[in-house]
Amino acid sequence: MTRTPHDHPDRPGNTRSIRRRRGLTGLVALPLVVLLGACTAAPGSTTDGVAAPPDRFARQQLAFGPCAGYATSAADEQVFAADPRAECARMQVPRNHDDPDGPTGEIAMLRVPARGESQGTLVLNSGGPGGAGMNFAVTTAAALAQSPVTERFDLLGFDPRGVGASTPAVECFTQEQYERGQARTEYFLSARGWTEPDAARLAGQCAERSGGEQNLAHVGSRDTVRDMDLLRTVLGEDKLRFLGQSYGTRIGALYAEAYPQNVGAMVLDGGVDPQSGDQRRLQQYASFQNSFERMAALCAPNAGCALGPDPARATERFQQIVRPLLDEPLRDDTGALFGYDEALDAVLGVLLSDATAWKPISTGLADLRSGDPDRFARVNRAVGGREPDGRGSNQTAANLAIGCLDEQRKNPEQAEQFRARIYAAAPFADPGRGPAGARDACEAWPTDPDPAYPFPDEVAGLPPTMTVSLTNDPTTPIEGARRLQQTLGGALLTVDGDGHTIAATGANPCVNDAVAAYLVDGRPPAEGARCAAIR
């Protein structure tokens, strides 16, 4: 896993095998109002000031067929083959929606048809930024195999522009750089110092390996939102039904802002705070500290806990284990260097899981004490999605490119101040060398940002939406989900428990029922609705 200066990467297609106790409070509410009088805008017309695409894009026919040739990794090949119903297609899009006569790109997508008579399409986004979404349709169809959602709706996952099988895809690094642990874009939460030439070198690599600066100019979230409305039109849907998790909730919120009249239903799972970028990210780091402390408390009673028997000293013990890697990195079973940043990567990656999956942190730290980084290295490889043959996820690069367009940028002084605030919010991640050397990874980016923040205080004209949040989510804290729900004016389903996102996992029957009631029957959760954790 590579951390970025924007949003903590998600785990596309992540499912949880644990079972949770069913418990639901007050989910019955009035049916969702369907605004049948609001029709889809004709191709070439304008909706709320956003120019609709011309006919040659809006009237294209998607040629769904076998998915051979779409996978960018062996892992995706296995996922795509897991459901014989899966079918794939590509949609032509203008690279610059404001210049529809210019160069074009392609959005790759995978559809799993409904088990019964289809009532339309549910479009999915697995998160990111930079997360591929085609495999998410297959894993969600499997996780919700008995749900009315998969009986009534085709599930469609797509790789957003710049990502995965969509073209042109963003890339910044060579396979050798990935293997050596040099594919890093994090200039804030890192032990390393960076310079102005480092930032310029990174931007130059990304432009060169992505086919030119022009291919970095239109991969932001607002560009993807316009692709989504084109997809809605091409699919023949009057309204968009959408389920997005983590960063996918940002995409959903931006769509709601741009096309409120085209929203049919939205499930926003692990809601990203729609307001200030800095405060949102500091909340994320504080939530990781909370999860770290919860993990330490669960570990402490066990003999051999690497963090010791006193949770109050867990941060100190953790630093004693990982800080020596700053000066004396190890080598993993592939020969790659494994240092402080890699150890922190692994711990953050595991903390995104449910508490029942936190045990590898203690065992991995115990291994590190004895000079063996292999367990944590395997965690990082699995999360990063890179494979020995050079194929794999481009999420690290795409995350950077999307974030550089979505976020306001910092000068070096602001970057160092922000790093200091991060260490204060998450002291377990503090390498002990001060904030000097922090820089904004987008400092030398060749194109100006089109910020996705701050978001309007409210969006008028929306039908009820559904936001879902776990109470102890470490990367999209529940406070941000509450603000997202307030901004969109919809319903909030609170779910007791740890981990990051739950609606597409099928792990909690209470959540499953609530999502189905909303999407299929048009009944959003009632005020104060809550699902208990499954123990």
Side-chain angles (χ1 to χ4, degrees):
M1 178 183 69
T2 300
R3 286 164 280 112
T4 75
H6 306 291
D7 288 311
H8 197 80
D10 303 318
R11 306 298 173 263
N14 182 36
T15 59
R16 298 172 177 84
S17 60
I18 59 169
R19 301 188 62 190
R20 304 169 190 253
R21 182 172 63 245
R22 182 172 182 159
L24 174 62
T25 306
L27 274 178
V28 179
L30 294 175
L32 176 66
V33 177
V34 180
L35 304 178
L36 297 178
C39 299
T40 305
S45 67
T46 299
T47 57
D48 280 9
V50 181
D55 283 0
R56 71 188 182 96
F57 293 107
R59 299 192 186 280
Q60 64 183 293
Q61 299 295 312
L62 298 178
F64 281 97
C67 292
Y70 280 80
T72 60
S73 67
D76 273 353
E77 287 176 349
Q78 294 176 352
V79 172
F80 295 176
D83 193 328
R85 299 171 299 161
E87 52 190 11
C88 294
R90 298 184 186 275
M91 180 178 72
Q92 296 288 320
V93 296
R95 292 195 201 176
N96 179 358
H97 279 279
D98 293 329
D99 181 19
D101 294 326
T104 62
E106 291 184 328
I107 302 300
M109 62 193 71
L110 183 150
R111 179 172 66 185
V112 178
R115 294 184 291 113
E117 183 177 352
S118 176
Q119 295 182 356
T121 301
L122 177 63
V123 176
L124 308 173
N125 183 280
S126 60
M134 295 176 67
N135 57 13
F136 192 44
V138 178
T139 58
T140 302
L144 303 182
Q146 303 305 314
S147 169
V149 172
T150 54
E151 181 181 3
R152 303 292 183 85
F153 298 116
D154 304 329
L155 301 189
L156 188 147
F158 68 99
D159 289 357
R161 54 173 56 210
V163 176
S166 292
T167 59
V170 173
E171 188 51 88
C172 298
F173 306 104
T174 64
Q175 177 64 7
E176 182 180 17
Q177 286 174 309
Y178 280 112
E179 291 174 353
R180 292 184 175 182
Q182 297 171 343
R184 307 198 68 85
T185 60
E186 169 57 57
Y187 285 25
F188 294 135
L189 187 60
S190 173
R192 307 182 188 189
W194 299 85
T195 65
E196 184 176 354
D198 290 330
R201 189 180 305 113
L202 177 60
Q205 286 179 194
C206 294
E208 179 182 358
R209 296 191 60 78
S210 301
E213 292 182 0
Q214 70 279 5
N215 291 339
L216 302 177
H218 301 287
V219 295
S221 295
R222 295 190 186 276
D223 300 294
T224 291
V225 161
R226 296 178 76 170
D227 292 340
M228 286 170 54
D229 200 59
L230 174 59
L231 175 60
R232 176 195 61 79
T233 300
V234 170
L235 291 172
E237 303 274 356
D238 286 344
K239 303 286 184 179
L240 177 74
R241 299 180 196 87
F242 179 74
L243 187 155
Q245 61 181 29
S246 195
Y247 162 77
T249 69
R250 180 198 294 179
I251 294 290
L254 289 173
Y255 185 93
E257 176 194 21
Y259 304 100
Q261 73 287 350
N262 292 343
V263 174
M266 280 190 172
V267 177
L268 304 174
D269 181 20
V272 173
D273 193 327
Q275 301 305 320
S276 167
D278 277 4
Q279 188 59 37
R280 168 180 50 81
R281 284 182 276 171
L282 289 170
Q283 287 172 349
Q284 289 177 338
Y285 295 120
S287 291
F288 272 109
Q289 179 69 30
N290 177 63
S291 292
F292 176 84
E293 292 172 357
R294 287 170 54 79
M295 177 273 298
L298 290 173
C299 180
N302 301 313
C305 173
L307 294 172
D310 183 1
R313 298 188 60 197
T315 290
E316 177 187 351
R317 293 290 294 269
F318 177 74
Q319 291 170 344
Q320 289 172 351
I321 295 171
V322 299
R323 282 183 176 178
L325 297 173
L326 289 165
D327 299 314
E328 298 181 6
L330 303 170
R331 288 196 179 273
D332 65 23
D333 52 3
T334 70
L337 285 174
F338 187 97
Y340 173 91
D341 283 343
E342 287 72 30
L344 188 58
D345 281 346
V347 172
L348 291 173
V350 177
L351 285 176
L352 283 174
S353 302
D354 185 273
T356 58
W358 286 348
K359 185 177 179 180
I361 294 178
S362 178
T363 52
L365 289 172
D367 289 347
L368 283 183
R369 277 192 315 205
S370 62
D372 180 5
D374 291 351
R375 190 185 305 269
F376 274 176
R378 287 193 294 272
V379 169
N380 288 342
R381 287 198 294 272
V383 170
R386 302 302 301 182
E387 296 174 354
D389 63 2
R391 295 195 300 170
S393 169
N394 73 328
Q395 180 166 348
T396 297
N399 185 293
L400 172 67
I402 295 167
C404 285
L405 294 183
D406 280 8
E407 304 274 359
Q408 297 286 2
R409 296 171 192 171
K410 290 178 167 51
N411 62 38
E413 180 181 0
Q414 293 170 329
E416 291 190 358
Q417 292 171 350
F418 188 56
R419 177 181 274 185
R421 296 176 70 191
I422 289 173
Y423 292 161
F428 84 98
D430 184 352
R433 296 194 170 180
R439 298 189 85 89
D440 192 321
C442 304
E443 178 182 298
W445 208 249
T447 55
D448 292 332
D450 182 15
Y453 295 96
F455 200 74
D457 290 335
E458 61 179 324
V459 178
L462 283 176
T465 59
M466 178 178 177
T467 301
V468 182
S469 182
L470 284 154
T471 52
N472 296 315
D473 188 323
T475 191
T476 50
I478 192 170
E479 294 81 6
R482 291 186 181 119
R483 275 187 285 273
L484 179 63
Q485 176 262 327
Q486 292 164 1
T487 296
L488 298 181
L492 173 66
L493 175 63
T494 300
V495 186
D496 295 323
D498 302 286
H500 179 47
T501 74
I502 192 167
T505 69
N508 187 310
C510 168
V511 176
N512 300 345
D513 291 346
V515 170
Y518 172 71
L519 289 173
V520 176
D521 301 325
R523 290 184 290 115
E527 184 176 355
R530 194 178 193 102
C531 287
I534 298 296
R535 303 294 183 185

